[in-house]
Amino acid sequence: MDTAVVPVPLGDRSYAVEIGPGVRARLPEVVAEIGVRKVAVVTSRPVEEVPDPGVPYTVVTVPDGEEHKTVATVERICLAFAEFGLTRLDGVVSVGGGTITDMVGLAAALFHRGLPVVHLPTTLLAQVDASVGGKTAVNLSCGKNLVGVYWQPQSVLCDTDYLRTLPDREWTNGYGEIARCHFIGAGDLRGLPLEEQIAASVRLKASIVTADERDDGLRHLLNYGHTLGHALEHASDFRVRHGEAVAIGTVFAGRLARALGRIDDARADEHREVVAHYGLPLELPSDVDTERLIALMRLDKKAMSGLTFVLDGPSGAELVTGVREDVVATVLDAMPRSGR
Ligand SMILES: NC(=O)c1ccc[n+]([C@@H]2O[C@H](COP(=O)([O-])OP(=O)(O)OC[C@H]3O[C@@H](n4cnc5c(N)ncnc54)[C@H](O)[C@@H]3O)[C@@H](O)[C@H]2O)c1
Ligand SMILES: [Zn+2]
């Protein structure tokens, strides 16, 4: 496979996600198609990794990571746009991980009430998830992703050459999201070349986003493994990375679905096998307690009527509300524990 092109059909906001080695070279054509006069490229990566967009441009370098994914950094980005004299005829490009695509997407949405943005995600997690679907957000000191808007990009270029420098832990982080795709409609991706796994994950996300752009229903499916995952990230003070937490949450989702009689033992085992295949963690850290995890899961955005999970079942994954806390506690207590 050379380049995969995955359409995201959203009426007049439709765009394509291109995946493959070297696709950053497509940037000038993409920028020409959008028809902007000049662009601001915002990145946390070395400037050599920024492709020439083919129109006059400036490179704005900002720090990445959760601690910098703030309103303050978005203001800094917007100030740089103003300094470069971006107008409504111009555009924005992001080059970086998910914290960069989230912040730059938001800055693009806000500046002059909305400029076109093209994302060049450079982590596996950003390529399979963060850069696609139009959600943008930054953190407040009291919580993650609390301030954001929906702002679809004009194009996403997932250049897999960027991933060559990715540290092991960032691979794990991205594979956590790929693993959960197995249970929400992507089918078995194990053993496929990386580009195809990314393309399949993006195709799945695109189909869900197309059906439910604003997260009113079906988009919940993308939260497979995430109810426990988010709680675990918090309970471990973010020592457990998002993708790792989602992996453990996926194993848990299999066990919980089994305990509720929604799936059989073999399907529950498949959860563990898929997560293990990607070299992802399977065990809860020994120092997070069940009560704390349940308390955190009560705060989950999906938990409007009791503990709520996306769970596998006879007709595939679906949102299950009002799950009994004693059942959740029993399944959590029975999870294998690691010493870390
Ligand atoms: N908008 C959405 O729909 C959506 C979906 C999923 C996740 N997210 C967000 O994405 C963020 C996580 O993204 P992330 O995991 O990419 O985090 P990140 O942006 O912090 O990047 C992780 C690390 O990888 C480094 N890095 C980036 N590209 C690299 C490369 N090519 N080589 C080596 N190192 C590189 C970064 O400097 C950083 O240290 C979270 O804030 C999350 O909320 C958003
Ligand atoms: Zn996730």
Side-chain angles (χ1 to χ4, degrees):
M1 179 175 102
D2 294 306
T3 301
V5 181
V6 179
V8 186
L10 288 166
D12 59 3
R13 284 165 296 107
S14 299
Y15 54 99
V17 182
E18 298 176 42
I19 301 139
V23 296
R24 80 188 81 169
R26 281 264 302 135
L27 185 62
E29 290 164 80
V30 164
V31 165
E33 278 160 30
I34 301 167
V36 290
R37 288 192 321 193
K38 60 180 187 175
V39 301
V41 184
V42 186
T43 190
S44 58
R45 302 294 306 154
V47 282
E48 313 78 75
E49 293 189 9
V50 171
D52 186 337
V55 294
Y57 70 106
T58 188
V59 177
V60 180
T61 301
V62 292
D64 60 17
E66 291 303 330
E67 70 278 26
H68 295 291
K69 201 177 97 166
T70 59
V71 176
T73 310
V74 169
E75 182 182 19
R76 215 173 119 182
I77 294 169
C78 289
L79 281 168
F81 291 170
E83 217 168 275
F84 185 55
L86 279 198
T87 70
R88 303 211 43 165
L89 301 173
D90 305 321
V92 174
V93 173
S94 76
V95 180
T99 59
I100 292 291
T101 57
D102 269 12
M103 286 194 283
V104 178
L106 181 56
L110 297 175
F111 195 74
H112 287 313
R113 298 186 189 83
L115 296 184
V117 62
V118 176
H119 292 311
L120 275 63
T122 63
T123 63
L124 181 58
L125 185 129
Q127 296 195 350
V128 297
D129 196 352
S131 62
V132 179
K135 278 192 186 177
T136 74
V138 294
N139 305 325
L140 296 180
S141 54
C142 58
K144 274 191 68 175
N145 293 333
L146 289 178
V147 177
V149 299
Y150 290 93
W151 190 247
Q152 298 293 343
Q154 300 275 325
S155 160
V156 180
L157 301 174
C158 298
D159 189 335
T160 48
D161 285 342
Y162 277 130
L163 306 177
R164 287 186 187 165
T165 49
L166 213 56
D168 287 350
R169 202 119 188 243
E170 301 307 330
W171 281 102
T172 312
N173 209 21
Y175 275 127
E177 301 290 11
I178 293 179
R180 65 90 158 87
C181 290
H182 184 106
F183 301 99
I184 54 174
D188 199 343
L189 306 179
R190 288 174 287 181
L192 293 180
L194 177 67
E195 274 83 12
E196 288 179 32
Q197 295 201 26
I198 297 172
S201 304
V202 169
R203 207 171 287 122
L204 174 72
K205 181 156 187 185
S207 69
I208 292 174
V209 167
T210 298
D212 177 23
E213 186 182 5
R214 300 247 160 176
D215 210 349
D216 298 318
L218 199 62
R219 200 161 170 163
H220 286 320
L221 288 185
L222 294 167
N223 272 299
Y224 202 79
H226 280 60
T227 310
L228 179 63
H230 285 143
L232 191 50
E233 281 182 89
H234 282 273
S236 69
D237 284 329
F238 296 92
R239 192 166 35 93
V240 181
R241 291 294 310 274
H242 181 74
E244 297 170 335
V246 169
I248 298 165
T250 297
V251 174
F252 168 76
R255 286 170 160 247
L256 181 59
R258 175 72 195 97
L260 295 171
R262 298 175 54 85
I263 57 173
D264 60 15
D265 286 337
R267 183 68 171 168
D269 278 348
E270 196 173 327
H271 285 69
R272 195 182 40 75
E273 283 156 16
V274 169
V275 170
H277 169 84
Y278 289 103
L280 293 159
L282 304 161
E283 301 162 332
L284 278 176
S286 55
D287 57 349
V288 298
D289 73 71
T290 296
E291 271 314 303
R292 171 118 171 89
L293 289 172
I294 291 180
L296 286 163
M297 289 193 286
R298 285 189 203 113
L299 303 176
D300 188 88
K301 67 177 177 201
K302 300 183 293 305
M304 289 167 197
S305 54
L307 291 186
T308 300
F309 298 87
V310 183
L311 294 176
D312 201 3
S315 43
E318 62 190 350
L319 199 66
V320 181
T321 58
V323 179
R324 275 173 44 195
E325 292 196 3
D326 60 318
V327 177
V328 173
T330 305
V331 175
L332 280 173
D333 286 338
M335 283 282 285
R337 295 272 177 164
S338 74
R340 60 180 175 157

